[in-house]
Amino acid sequence: MNRDYLIQSKPLPALTIFVIPIILGNLFQQFYNLVDSAIVGQYVGENALAAVGACLAFTNVFIFIANGGGIGASVIVGKYFGAKEYKNMKTTIFTAFITFAVFSTLLGVLGLICGKWVMLLLRTPKEILDMATLYLNIYFMGLPFLFLYNITASMFNALGKSKFPLLFLIISSLLNIGLDYMFVKYFGWGIGGAAWATLIAQGFSFLLSFFVFMRELRKFSIGKTALFSREELFRMTKIALPSILQQSTISIGLMLVQSVVNSFGAPTLAGYSVGLRIEAIGSVAMVAPGTAISTFTAQNYGAKKIDRIPKGFISGNIIVGIAAVLFFTFLQFFRDKIITFFLAENGSETAYETAKAYLNYMSIVLCILGFKLNIDGVLRGVGSMKVFTIASFVNIILRVTFSNVFAPIIGVQAVWISNPVGWIVSFIMCYVTYRIWMKKHSRPLIDIVNDK
């Protein structure tokens, strides 16, 4: 396919072609997470499953930082790609890799030092604290692999080559599942075995993807390129930092929400963890269009095709709507069976009912998240980050406040009822900003007609 298809082809077909590998790749990743939790729940027990769930909010902080940084860097790369400024593009890529390698190593050390303290701060039940701490310590040793894989995948996406991350995620997920089964069931390593399986699979995935990416990058023959540039680092930071702040703010907010769930005890936490894992399947299709729109917008902005940006936004919303209907239908048929698969026959009634209540609600409102992330993707793509960042803070403040105020009154249900409250307010703020930006940058209609 033409390397400029996101700039030249019709938006809906182009975005569909681009986003499908992202969705499939992330589905494989979520499939691994599901199997990982299921193996832990089946062969170690409900408390171990709760321990993995207790770690989820904290580990998500680092996953979201990696994703936010990768998306921010890919916007700059996408703009250079759209403008055919390949020398600057390669310098930005090399700068991103070096920066992420150093940054992720420092974060990994910080996580090893602070992991148990954070678990205590989040009111993790005492009976699962040691297991959660063990899982975290192994996880943080592999943190650089997670970051470097994410930046590699983001660079592939910035060049419109989303099929490569799909391939590597399939390989990584299958390796993860095989190692999980071996380490947990046959070696008897418990929750630590699940963590080691993740570390090894992520390391292998990064090395393989990095090798292939460097081979692809050599196709842009432009002579010698600088390996690091402070100017490009500054440009990346202007986009990446708000994305990182957004992602980390969300994840820190989820940690605070997690502390509300933790206060209801291990069985409720286990059910909530199962609900999160299953909901993550649907979230993949909500997140992927926003990522694709960010690249689509950046490339068309770089190519000075502003009139294609609204068409891309509408196309992304169509994809979200279709995916939301499919996920709702999927849960109607398979929800109970999947919950049982996680909790096994000896799972508590509290865990079952918590998971069911969470999924019933989220299957209806999850599309709001997709629409919100699509408008976020447009603002990232054009570099309009101020309101984008403020809206992220407002979103999580509303969710944390709602959860803490209403959980003592209506129970743990307040945690998931709070989700669309923050999403809707954030969407409105970003949509107004988008309309103002488009009004300022759109060309007169006569110019667009003359181009045709």
Side-chain angles (χ1 to χ4, degrees):
M1 178 178 288
N2 184 347
R3 64 167 58 156
D4 297 326
Y5 71 98
L6 288 176
I7 300 170
Q8 297 176 356
S9 301
K10 291 182 178 180
L12 182 56
L15 272 174
T16 301
I17 291 171
F18 184 63
V19 81
I20 285 176
I22 298 176
I23 291 176
L24 291 177
N26 289 341
L27 278 175
F28 269 96
Q29 191 171 39
Q30 294 304 329
F31 175 68
Y32 153 68
N33 289 332
L34 289 172
V35 175
D36 177 56
S37 295
I39 290 173
V40 170
Q42 291 280 349
Y43 296 111
V44 187
E46 187 175 292
N47 276 351
L49 181 62
V52 174
C55 295
L56 188 61
F58 188 33
T59 57
N60 274 345
V61 174
F62 300 90
I63 292 173
F64 289 163
I65 290 174
N67 289 342
I71 292 171
S74 71
V75 168
I76 302 300
V77 173
K79 285 183 179 179
Y80 283 140
F81 180 83
K84 302 188 184 302
E85 297 179 19
Y86 298 134
K87 188 171 184 178
N88 288 334
M89 180 189 79
K90 293 180 75 171
T91 298
T92 301
I93 290 170
F94 296 146
T95 301
F97 275 114
I98 293 171
T99 303
F100 267 63
V102 174
F103 184 55
S104 61
T105 301
L106 294 175
L107 282 180
V109 173
L110 181 64
L112 285 169
I113 295 172
C114 301
K116 186 172 184 178
W117 176 79
V118 172
M119 288 292 98
L120 288 169
L121 190 64
L122 294 177
R123 296 181 286 183
T124 303
K126 292 182 179 180
E127 63 268 30
I128 64 172
L129 179 61
D130 289 341
M131 285 190 289
T133 303
L134 172 63
Y135 185 89
L136 283 176
N137 287 341
I138 299 170
Y139 176 89
F140 284 122
M141 285 190 284
L143 195 67
F145 293 136
L146 169 69
F147 269 70
L148 290 170
Y149 171 76
N150 269 275
I151 192 64
T152 308
S154 296
M155 295 301 100
F156 272 122
N157 290 337
L159 303 182
K161 297 181 179 293
S162 56
K163 64 180 181 180
F164 285 105
L166 167 61
L167 175 63
F168 303 133
L169 277 172
I170 291 173
I171 295 172
S172 176
S173 297
L174 293 176
L175 179 60
N176 247 320
I177 292 169
L179 292 175
D180 255 335
Y181 200 69
M182 181 172 66
F183 291 165
V184 175
K185 182 179 180 181
Y186 291 104
F187 288 11
W189 290 358
I191 196 173
W196 279 114
T198 299
L199 186 153
I200 294 170
Q202 285 180 343
F204 178 80
S205 181
F206 160 64
L207 292 174
L208 180 61
S209 61
F210 182 75
F211 173 79
V212 174
F213 179 76
M214 296 307 294
R215 188 189 65 183
E216 288 293 313
L217 201 59
R218 283 197 293 270
K219 295 178 181 179
F220 298 90
S221 300
I222 54 174
K224 189 175 181 180
T225 305
L227 293 178
F228 188 85
S229 168
R230 291 182 180 180
E231 291 77 14
E232 297 304 336
L233 177 60
F234 178 73
R235 291 189 181 96
M236 278 193 301
T237 303
K238 286 182 66 178
I239 303 296
L241 188 58
S243 292
I244 290 173
L245 286 174
Q246 181 222 21
Q247 297 279 350
S248 58
T249 299
I250 291 173
S251 55
I252 291 170
L254 291 177
M255 286 173 58
L256 298 176
V257 170
Q258 179 82 54
S259 70
V260 176
V261 179
N262 290 349
S263 67
F264 286 88
T268 298
L269 176 57
Y272 179 67
S273 300
V274 170
L276 283 176
R277 292 295 194 189
I278 299 172
E279 180 231 331
I281 297 175
S283 295
V284 162
M286 302 298 108
V287 173
T291 302
I293 287 173
S294 183
T295 299
F296 176 91
T297 302
Q299 288 194 12
N300 282 279
Y301 185 34
K304 303 188 186 304
K305 295 188 176 183
I306 306 298
D307 53 288
R308 287 173 55 84
I309 293 176
K311 298 175 183 177
F313 175 55
I314 294 171
S315 298
N317 288 335
I318 292 172
I319 294 172
V320 163
I322 294 172
V325 171
L326 292 175
F327 181 63
F328 177 84
T329 304
F330 169 78
L331 284 183
Q332 301 313 302
F333 288 98
F334 300 109
R335 181 202 61 200
D336 293 348
K337 292 181 180 178
I338 298 176
I339 293 174
T340 302
F341 178 66
F342 276 100
L343 294 173
E345 295 181 357
N346 59 347
S348 65
E349 183 178 353
T350 298
Y352 274 100
E353 293 305 317
T354 301
K356 286 181 181 179
Y358 181 82
L359 290 171
N360 284 341
Y361 183 78
M362 293 305 296
S363 67
I364 298 172
V365 304
L366 197 60
C367 61
I368 301 173
L369 173 63
F371 300 141
K372 172 202 170 307
L373 293 176
N374 282 349
I375 197 65
D376 288 351
V378 173
L379 294 184
R380 267 197 311 267
V382 300
S384 181
M385 305 301 291
K386 184 176 180 180
V387 175
F388 167 88
T389 306
I390 295 172
S392 299
F393 279 100
V394 171
N395 168 32
I396 203 61
I397 288 171
L398 287 173
R399 291 170 61 187
V400 171
T401 302
F402 190 98
S403 298
N404 280 275
V405 170
F406 289 100
I409 301 172
I410 64 175
V412 72
Q413 292 89 346
V415 170
W416 47 88
I417 292 174
S418 71
N419 288 338
V421 175
W423 295 341
I424 291 171
V425 174
S426 178
F427 173 85
I428 292 172
M429 293 175 65
C430 291
Y431 184 78
V432 171
T433 303
Y434 155 72
R435 295 299 302 174
I436 293 172
W437 189 94
M438 283 301 305
K439 185 176 181 180
K440 181 179 179 181
H441 291 83
S442 293
R443 295 183 298 161
L445 181 61
I446 187 64
D447 290 345
I448 300 174
V449 173
N450 288 338
D451 284 348
K452 298 180 179 178

